[in-house]
Amino acid sequence: MALRRREFTALLLGGAAALGLAGRAAAEGDPLPSWNDGPAKDAIVKFVHATTDAASPDFVPVAERIATFDQDGTLWVEQPIYTQIVFAFSRVPEVVKERPELAKEEAFRAILSGDRAAIAKLSMGQLLSVVGATLTGMDVETYRDEVEAWIKDARDPRWKRPFTDLVYQPQIELLKYLRASGYRTFIVTGGGQDFVRAYSERVYGVPVEQVIGTMFDLGFKPGADGKPVLVRESKLLLNDDEAGKPEGIHLVIGRRPRFAFGNSAGDREMLEYTKAGAGARLGMIVLHDDAKREYAYGPAKGLPDTKIGTFPQALYDQAMKDGWIVVSMKNDWKRIFAFA
Amino acid sequence: MALRRREFTALLLGGAAALGLAGRAAAEGDPLPSWNDGPAKDAIVKFVHATTDAASPDFVPVAERIATFDQDGTLWVEQPIYTQIVFAFSRVPEVVKERPELAKEEAFRAILSGDRAAIAKLSMGQLLSVVGATLTGMDVETYRDEVEAWIKDARDPRWKRPFTDLVYQPQIELLKYLRASGYRTFIVTGGGQDFVRAYSERVYGVPVEQVIGTMFDLGFKPGADGKPVLVRESKLLLNDDEAGKPEGIHLVIGRRPRFAFGNSAGDREMLEYTKAGAGARLGMIVLHDDAKREYAYGPAKGLPDTKIGTFPQALYDQAMKDGWIVVSMKNDWKRIFAFA
């Protein structure tokens, strides 16, 4: 197991973080080059210094350094529709072949016809029923392989690139900066836990055990070779959205985060829970106000309304009142994608 | 944040484990002094060497080094009744004061009367209803404080010692040995997740995020000061026993364990799941055959039958057939308790 110099340095840096030296080491260069100077970047750097400097009154022990990030719209593009839904759609023809009665349902008919107007009209409930029918029934290892294979080949229609290229470069830098400062970074997503686990390590540097997401019940059954496997069942165990986010955080981590980052109404409870803890806590929320480089949607601040990733004005007002930092994609992010 | 020499050494050892050197370091002394020489101890040491030596065909990368331990009967005493049930009983008078109608139920009447014969006759379902009534309704932080306070003062009736003294010293050594070899050690218990989290770090060196247990639903509600808290509800979310153990492992870790240790029928699926993975895997199971130093129960091998921690003959036969190592408390453990 030969270690490259970079890995060895990372190992030593992990030790340095535990010793509270990481803030100093990271300060030598700009850890957040894709962030414009301004209040958002300032808030991050001040928070990291305050919580990792052993002499600070807000110092946080390494074990308690927990940072949680929503995924869709916070770490990568969620418009015009969640990537996991695109994956579910891609499986519809195959699933309908096995269960022809599904073709009679409105959602399946719309997807099979490719009628974009009809698809756009489907409710979130209808979309979830498609997810339930297409992304369950197989064992968790097969499912992971299928997501991995699909996500390597699939392309976003606007940028003609893999969906995993559409991660926000400022957030990749932030994740790395927090980790270099002794924080463990978790993804807390309304998306499927096992969907995100299939690429979280490669794309975000977040290992599978640090992905909390919507969970389905699992059946313990003999697999093809008779050896037991865990089969994805259609019964929802935890909807990791809204109040489900702090619940999922408690079940998987058991500690209240020090830092939380979201972008929509589904992240409200996670931000409230994080900020309600004692000591230094930072809550941040992305406002998608950049139609040119990404998308513009709210409806906060008069931005267009959308079914996906809704950021209502009331949430904006709550952010202002409770001291969550609103990150303007347009003003706070120098660069959005690594490829740009 | 001054580090003591011991902590600094542990930090460096963590690095050494990642480099695959830990096996060598640990081999310098006997890492398992409370284990008698024999096939069980041999199997552990061989497994650790095979999976941590970079030159071994069975080498396992650090990220995949996952070891899971049942708690009751595997890490500490579970007779004559689970410690968590003793805690639930201790809360009955206070709960009945608030909800007098409970006094009419057979289980509550038996507990309030202190009638040992009547208590012994209660079914597991009745005991769980007592747990549901006594250990829910408060927020998770208050609950943790209450468990911590209780467990410091409560005493086991046989040894007149805190329950947390009744942990098996050979297992404490095994947990440490595995961690020094780069394994992350998880508790996977049918007991309540938050109950065990209240003392897991102090007693076992297992941090809260590495405790998987039976989970109740959580309500996101304003606390006494108006700030949101997570309130323990009585709806069961995951019964982390039998098939619930591999399910809990997947939800919280997302990796199949390399090593699993149990003691009863409730651990069967965890052991099957662990052993069914590719590469080197070790399954172990404690047989309580030591009435003198601890307890003797089965009914495997003609040992007395019991409601708590049942180890049926069929499970013993499966262990023999599938290569799980049966650990005889009497023969394999030189010393059972640190105080002995």
Side-chain angles (χ1 to χ4, degrees):
Chain A
M1 197 180 117
L3 273 200
R4 279 162 299 178
R5 177 185 292 268
R6 191 160 50 83
E7 288 167 321
F8 192 72
T9 308
L11 209 67
L12 292 178
L13 267 181
L19 289 160
L21 306 174
R24 221 187 299 165
E28 284 172 16
D30 179 356
L32 303 171
S34 300
W35 289 73
N36 284 318
D37 291 333
K41 183 171 178 171
D42 276 358
I44 295 168
V45 173
K46 273 185 192 149
F47 172 81
V48 167
H49 285 176
T51 58
T52 60
D53 176 353
S56 157
D58 288 324
F59 177 76
V60 175
V62 171
E64 292 289 342
R65 293 187 200 161
I66 304 292
T68 56
F69 286 78
D70 167 57
Q71 184 192 218
D72 294 305
T74 299
L75 294 178
W76 74 351
V77 173
E78 66 184 344
Q79 297 289 357
I81 201 163
Y82 304 123
T83 304
Q84 190 184 356
I85 302 283
V86 183
F87 175 55
F89 283 9
S90 77
R91 295 177 58 90
V92 162
E94 166 188 350
V95 168
V96 168
K97 205 178 277 176
E98 282 170 34
R99 297 175 53 196
E101 73 279 10
L102 289 173
K104 289 175 204 153
E105 291 186 18
E106 189 187 344
F108 286 86
R109 217 171 40 227
I111 296 160
L112 285 169
S113 72
D115 176 350
R116 289 186 181 211
I119 292 171
K121 275 184 204 148
L122 297 175
S123 70
M124 198 50 72
Q126 286 176 306
L127 294 176
L128 288 178
S129 82
V130 174
V131 167
T134 53
L135 307 187
T136 58
M138 70 292 280
D139 72 81
V140 295
E141 283 153 15
T142 301
Y143 181 67
R144 185 175 300 181
D145 291 344
E146 289 177 2
V147 176
E148 270 183 18
W150 177 83
I151 214 158
K152 270 185 194 148
D153 289 334
R155 293 289 181 278
D156 170 84
R158 175 167 161 192
W159 284 279
K160 324 280 185 218
R161 287 182 164 270
F163 292 100
T164 50
D165 279 8
L166 303 184
V167 296
Y168 306 135
Q169 180 60 19
Q171 301 292 61
I172 299 294
E173 293 166 8
L174 176 55
L175 288 166
K176 284 185 184 162
Y177 176 49
L178 288 168
R179 290 195 293 259
S181 307
Y183 276 85
R184 273 174 292 169
T185 53
F186 287 78
I187 294 172
V188 180
T189 176
Q193 182 179 38
D194 282 338
F195 181 79
V196 180
R197 279 172 167 174
Y199 56 84
S200 64
E201 174 90 53
R202 174 172 67 84
V203 175
Y204 301 117
V206 172
V208 293
E209 62 270 25
Q210 291 176 14
V211 176
I212 304 168
T214 291
M215 303 170 187
F216 288 88
D217 218 346
L218 299 170
F220 185 76
K221 292 175 183 167
D225 59 359
K227 292 181 176 178
V229 292
L230 292 168
V231 174
R232 292 169 56 79
E233 295 185 346
S234 52
K235 192 189 149 210
L236 187 68
L237 195 70
L238 178 76
N239 182 6
D240 194 54
D241 198 30
E242 301 181 348
K245 291 206 174 197
E247 178 166 8
I249 288 169
H250 185 74
L251 297 174
V252 175
I253 314 178
R255 306 181 192 261
R256 204 189 276 247
R258 290 283 165 170
F259 179 105
F261 211 136
N263 81 299
S264 78
D267 301 312
R268 186 169 64 86
E269 288 82 354
M270 175 171 78
L271 285 157
E272 289 175 346
Y273 182 62
T274 299
K275 289 283 287 181
R281 312 267 168 173
L282 186 59
M284 302 190 80
I285 186 158
V286 188
L287 183 67
H288 292 259
D289 56 359
D290 196 333
K292 204 175 154 198
R293 294 189 299 169
E294 202 243 12
Y295 290 96
Y297 53 104
K301 305 287 282 178
L303 292 163
D305 203 351
T306 166
K307 272 202 292 203
I308 304 281
T310 307
F311 188 147
Q313 186 61 39
L315 187 68
Y316 188 92
D317 297 342
Q318 186 176 358
M320 293 296 110
K321 184 174 148 286
D322 294 345
W324 311 348
I325 308 293
V326 176
V327 174
S328 156
M329 195 168 244
K330 192 172 173 181
N331 301 320
D332 288 312
W333 287 358
K334 194 179 292 177
R335 191 165 67 144
I336 294 185
F337 302 116
F339 61 79
Chain B
M1 198 181 115
L3 273 202
R4 280 163 299 179
R5 178 185 291 266
R6 191 161 50 82
E7 288 168 318
F8 192 71
T9 307
L11 210 66
L12 292 179
L13 267 181
L19 288 160
L21 305 175
R24 222 188 300 165
E28 283 170 17
D30 179 355
L32 303 171
S34 299
W35 289 73
N36 284 319
D37 292 332
K41 183 171 178 171
D42 276 358
I44 295 169
V45 173
K46 274 186 191 149
F47 172 81
V48 167
H49 285 175
T51 57
T52 59
D53 177 353
S56 157
D58 288 324
F59 178 76
V60 175
V62 171
E64 292 289 341
R65 291 187 200 160
I66 304 293
T68 56
F69 286 77
D70 167 58
Q71 185 192 220
D72 294 305
T74 299
L75 294 177
W76 75 351
V77 172
E78 65 185 344
Q79 298 288 355
I81 200 163
Y82 303 122
T83 303
Q84 190 183 356
I85 302 283
V86 183
F87 176 56
F89 283 9
S90 77
R91 295 177 60 89
V92 162
E94 166 188 351
V95 167
V96 169
K97 203 178 277 176
E98 281 170 33
R99 297 175 53 196
E101 74 277 12
L102 288 174
K104 288 176 205 152
E105 292 185 17
E106 189 187 344
F108 287 86
R109 218 173 38 230
I111 295 160
L112 286 169
S113 72
D115 176 350
R116 287 183 184 215
I119 292 171
K121 275 184 204 148
L122 297 175
S123 70
M124 197 50 70
Q126 286 176 307
L127 294 175
L128 287 179
S129 82
V130 174
V131 167
T134 52
L135 307 187
T136 59
M138 70 291 280
D139 73 80
V140 295
E141 283 153 15
T142 302
Y143 181 67
R144 184 175 301 181
D145 292 345
E146 289 178 2
V147 176
E148 269 183 20
W150 177 82
I151 212 157
K152 268 185 196 146
D153 290 334
R155 292 289 180 276
D156 169 85
R158 175 167 160 191
W159 284 279
K160 324 278 184 219
R161 288 183 164 268
F163 292 99
T164 50
D165 279 7
L166 304 184
V167 297
Y168 306 135
Q169 180 60 20
Q171 301 291 60
I172 299 294
E173 293 166 6
L174 176 55
L175 288 167
K176 284 185 184 161
Y177 176 49
L178 288 169
R179 290 195 291 260
S181 307
Y183 276 85
R184 274 174 291 170
T185 53
F186 288 78
I187 294 173
V188 180
T189 175
Q193 181 179 39
D194 282 339
F195 181 79
V196 180
R197 278 171 167 174
Y199 56 83
S200 64
E201 174 91 54
R202 173 173 67 83
V203 174
Y204 301 116
V206 172
V208 293
E209 62 270 25
Q210 291 175 15
V211 177
I212 305 168
T214 291
M215 304 171 186
F216 288 88
D217 217 348
L218 299 169
F220 185 76
K221 293 175 182 167
D225 58 1
K227 291 183 177 177
V229 292
L230 292 168
V231 174
R232 292 169 56 80
E233 295 186 346
S234 51
K235 191 190 149 211
L236 186 68
L237 195 69
L238 178 76
N239 182 7
D240 194 54
D241 199 29
E242 302 182 347
K245 290 205 174 196
E247 178 166 8
I249 288 169
H250 184 74
L251 297 173
V252 175
I253 314 177
R255 305 180 193 262
R256 202 188 277 247
R258 290 282 166 170
F259 179 105
F261 211 136
N263 81 299
S264 77
D267 301 313
R268 186 169 66 85
E269 288 83 353
M270 175 171 78
L271 286 157
E272 289 175 345
Y273 182 61
T274 299
K275 289 284 287 180
R281 312 268 167 171
L282 187 58
M284 303 190 79
I285 187 157
V286 188
L287 182 69
H288 292 258
D289 56 359
D290 195 333
K292 202 174 155 200
R293 294 189 301 170
E294 202 241 12
Y295 289 96
Y297 52 106
K301 305 288 282 176
L303 293 162
D305 202 352
T306 165
K307 272 203 293 203
I308 303 281
T310 307
F311 188 147
Q313 186 61 40
L315 188 68
Y316 187 92
D317 297 341
Q318 185 176 358
M320 293 295 111
K321 184 174 149 286
D322 293 347
W324 311 349
I325 308 290
V326 176
V327 174
S328 156
M329 196 168 242
K330 192 171 174 182
N331 301 320
D332 288 312
W333 287 359
K334 193 178 292 176
R335 191 164 68 145
I336 294 186
F337 302 116
F339 61 79

